[in-house]
Amino acid sequence: MKSMPHFQAAAFNLHTTRMTLLLALAAATAHADPAGFGIGLETVLILHGTENWQTILLGSVLVLIGLFLVVFGGNGSYLALYANGFLSVSSLASLLTWNVEPASGYTQRAALYMAVYFISGFVGGLVFGFLPFLGHLFACAYYGLILGIELLCLSSGGLFTSILGRQLFLVPFTITALLVSVYHPKHVLGAMAGLSCPFVVALGIDLWAQTGLIEGVAGFMTLSESGAEASARYVFDQPKQFIVACSLVFGVVAGGLQYRVAVTRFGKGPQLGLEAGNAAVFVRAS
């Protein structure tokens, strides 16, 4: 029997590695302590009640999109580009809506946040398709921000207790990812998506499990005294330690894998401009 050509063997090994990573991440969350995490629809309904479908839906969306981007975030396909746009734009739009909310709260608050999240995500995915270079830059900056937020969660009350200190801590992560992505958009997008999106999955899980992780993140990103109070109440206890540790470990593995795939497919040099016939992929500069 003829041996498998080298490029086919490489593609097969890549597919196998991706599927193994995806299944391992799912297994790690599924086998967590049920009392601490409550994964599963039955437990979700017990924790939140059958009427809180918004929490179930949003958590499911974060987990599904996060898992997809962990494995395929930098592969250059239109679907991956759309998912990057949906996640980054919807998250930042929701964050902006959260920060401008009046003290009395919004009328129909849950419905408003759901509308903002899904409409902005839908539009963001389309915009990324029409403006892929700017989409790559925006997504990379967003993933840098997510990585910084994840590191803020490693201490009770956050690594920095002041609002200014937290913002100054997050700026280098965002700016560095943005600047490097100008010259290596595909490499950085894949690496940053793999590195940061396991934490997105963790936040989706926390919407079901209610360990308090997502409340701490919301407090860290609120530019008001109420945010400072919420951050002060954040406790980095054992359930949060488990979730964040898993997201960091899988992030390092997935980020390294996606970077290696990008180098294999696109080389190590800088890549600028658009390739004819595929607006989601960049070509190497001449």
Side-chain angles (χ1 to χ4, degrees):
M1 184 176 63
K2 294 182 179 180
S3 61
M4 183 180 294
H6 177 70
F7 71 91
Q8 291 183 354
F12 176 78
N13 290 335
L14 172 60
H15 177 73
T16 303
T17 305
R18 282 175 168 173
M19 293 306 299
T20 301
L21 176 63
L22 184 61
L23 292 173
L25 182 58
T29 56
H31 290 288
D33 179 12
F37 297 94
I39 308 304
L41 180 59
E42 181 179 358
T43 309
V44 169
L45 295 176
I46 292 174
L47 289 173
H48 299 284
T50 55
E51 295 181 357
N52 197 356
W53 59 269
Q54 296 97 337
T55 300
I56 300 173
L57 177 61
L58 183 56
S60 301
V61 169
L62 287 176
V63 169
L64 292 175
I65 294 182
L67 286 174
F68 175 79
L69 292 174
V70 165
V71 184
F72 301 108
N75 73 350
S77 68
Y78 284 104
L79 182 59
L81 188 63
Y82 185 89
N84 281 305
F86 185 99
L87 179 63
S88 56
V89 174
S90 62
S91 299
L92 293 177
S94 300
L95 179 62
L96 178 62
T97 306
W98 174 272
N99 274 281
V100 299
E101 182 175 0
S104 57
Y106 295 120
T107 304
Q108 300 295 323
R109 188 171 186 267
L112 175 63
Y113 274 104
M114 292 292 287
V116 168
Y117 185 84
F118 285 103
I119 293 175
S120 62
F122 176 78
V123 174
L126 294 179
V127 171
F128 273 39
F130 286 106
L131 301 171
F133 182 68
L134 295 180
H136 274 64
L137 300 184
F138 189 87
C140 288
Y142 167 76
Y143 291 136
L145 175 66
I146 292 297
L147 179 60
I149 294 173
E150 183 176 13
L151 297 180
L152 278 178
C153 295
L154 292 175
S155 175
S156 295
L159 290 179
F160 296 88
T161 57
S162 68
I163 296 175
L164 179 60
R166 288 194 293 269
Q167 305 314 311
L168 291 177
F169 175 76
L170 295 175
V171 166
F173 290 92
T174 306
I175 298 300
T176 300
L178 175 64
L179 293 178
V180 177
S181 66
V182 172
Y183 298 99
H184 299 276
K186 290 178 292 188
H187 300 74
V188 176
L189 180 62
M192 292 303 298
L195 186 61
S196 303
C197 284
F199 189 64
V200 175
V201 176
L203 294 178
I205 292 173
D206 193 68
L207 278 172
W208 305 339
Q210 292 290 288
T211 68
L213 178 63
I214 200 165
E215 285 82 358
V217 170
F220 297 151
M221 299 306 297
T222 303
L223 305 178
S224 65
E225 290 303 321
S226 62
E229 295 173 0
S231 301
R233 294 193 298 269
Y234 173 77
V235 178
F236 190 51
D237 52 19
Q238 188 172 359
K240 298 185 189 71
Q241 292 170 13
F242 180 84
I243 289 182
V244 175
C246 286
S247 68
L248 285 172
V249 170
F250 281 108
V252 171
V253 175
L257 175 62
Q258 290 213 46
Y259 177 79
R260 180 178 179 182
V261 171
V263 171
T264 302
R265 292 180 61 187
F266 310 121
K268 297 182 179 180
Q271 293 139 6
L272 302 171
L274 294 178
E275 181 180 15
N278 188 355
V281 180
F282 296 87
V283 296
R284 300 184 62 179
S286 56

